[in-house]
Amino acid sequence: MKKTVNTFIEAKKTGEKMTMLTAYDYSTARLIEEAGVDSILVGDSLGNVMLGYEDTVSVTMEDMIHHCKAVKRGAPNTLVVCDMPFMSYQTRVYDAVVNAGRLMKEGRANAVKLEGGEAVAPTIKAIVDIGIPVCAHIGLTPQSINMFGGYKVQGKSLEAAKQLIRDAEAVQEAGAFAVVLECVPSELAAFITKRLNITTIGIGAGAECDGQVLVYADMLAMFSDYRPKFVKNFANVGDEMRKGFKGYVDEVKNSSYPAAEHGYTIDSEIMEEIKKSES
Ligand code: KIV
C-alpha cells in the first residue's frame, strides 16, 4: 500500500506508531521500502553522513534534489520527505515557496521539511497554501548549530520549554502535517504529543512521540564520527563492511579472487588461433 501524508494523519487517530528513516540513495531506499518503513527522510544530514561536512550548513538545493530523485526511484510507494537546506527558505517566503516547489518538481519529493517554530510559521503556511505538504522540525535544529554552540538537548528551562510548546502549536496552526522533535526531554515531548493533533516524530525525544526517525547510517553503525545518546545500533553494518572490504583486499593480493567461476570463457580453438597468429 502506498504511504502518503494521510498515513500519518490517520495514524494520529488510530495510535499506530509511525516509522521514518533517512536515506540518500536508490539502493538504500529500496531496502528501507522493502522493510515496510512508513516514510523516508532525505535529510540534510547527508552533509555529515554522505559528504563528510562537519555540519549541514554547506548542503545545497542541488545536493538535495540529486539525492531525493535517487531515493524516490528506489521507494516509489513510500512517503519521501525532503529537507529544505540552509538558506533555501530563511531569506524570503517567496524563495521558500520556489525552492519547496523545486524539491517536489525536480526531486520528486512527496513533502518537504524545514527547521524552526513560530518564526517560520508564515513560511510553512505559504508552502502548504500552494499544495505542498510540510513536516516541521523543532527542538535541536542542526542548521542553527552556530547559534546553539553545539548539539545540546533543548527545552530544559521553563522559558525554553514554553517556547517549544509555542513552536509546536505555531507549526500545527500553519498547516504542517507532522513535526519532528529533536533532542527534547521525553516528558516534554510526551506533553507536546498529547497537546497536538498532528503527528510528532521523535529523535532523542522519548517513546511517547507518535513516531520515530533515525539517520540510517547511525542505526546501522556505519557512521562513527560521533554517536548521539539516542542512537541504538539495530545492526552492525559498519563492521560487516570493514570485514568485506578487508576480505576483498586480501583475496586480490593473494590471487584467490577472482576464481574461475567469476570469469568468462572463450572457445579454445579461437584462443589457439590467436596464440598462433599473434606469436
Ligand atoms: O537531516 C536529518 O537527517 C534530520 C533528522 C535528524 C531528523 O533532520
Side-chain angles (χ1 to χ4, degrees), residues 44 59-61 64 83-90 103 143:
D44 60 355
V59 176
T60 64
M61 277 294 294
M64 296 310 300
D83 254 339
M84 298 197 69
F86 183 57
M87 294 311 280
S88 68
Y89 59 94
Q90 290 93 340
L103 296 178
Q143 291 176 14

Side-chain angles (χ1 to χ4, degrees), residues 252-263:
V252 172
K253 297 279 183 195
N254 68 24
S255 300
S256 57
Y257 175 83
E261 73 261 30
H262 304 118

Side-chain angles (χ1 to χ4, degrees), residues 47-68:
N48 311 94
V49 174
M50 295 286 118
L51 304 177
Y53 295 135
E54 65 179 278
D55 53 43
T56 58
V57 168
S58 301
V59 176
T60 64
M61 277 294 294
E62 272 57 42
D63 292 332
M64 296 310 300
I65 289 168
H66 179 71
H67 287 271
C68 191

Side-chain angles (χ1 to χ4, degrees), residues 86-104:
F86 183 57
M87 294 311 280
S88 68
Y89 59 94
Q90 290 93 340
T91 44
R92 284 182 303 166
V93 171
Y94 175 82
D95 297 335
V97 171
V98 169
N99 285 323
R102 286 191 68 200
L103 296 178
M104 304 294 283

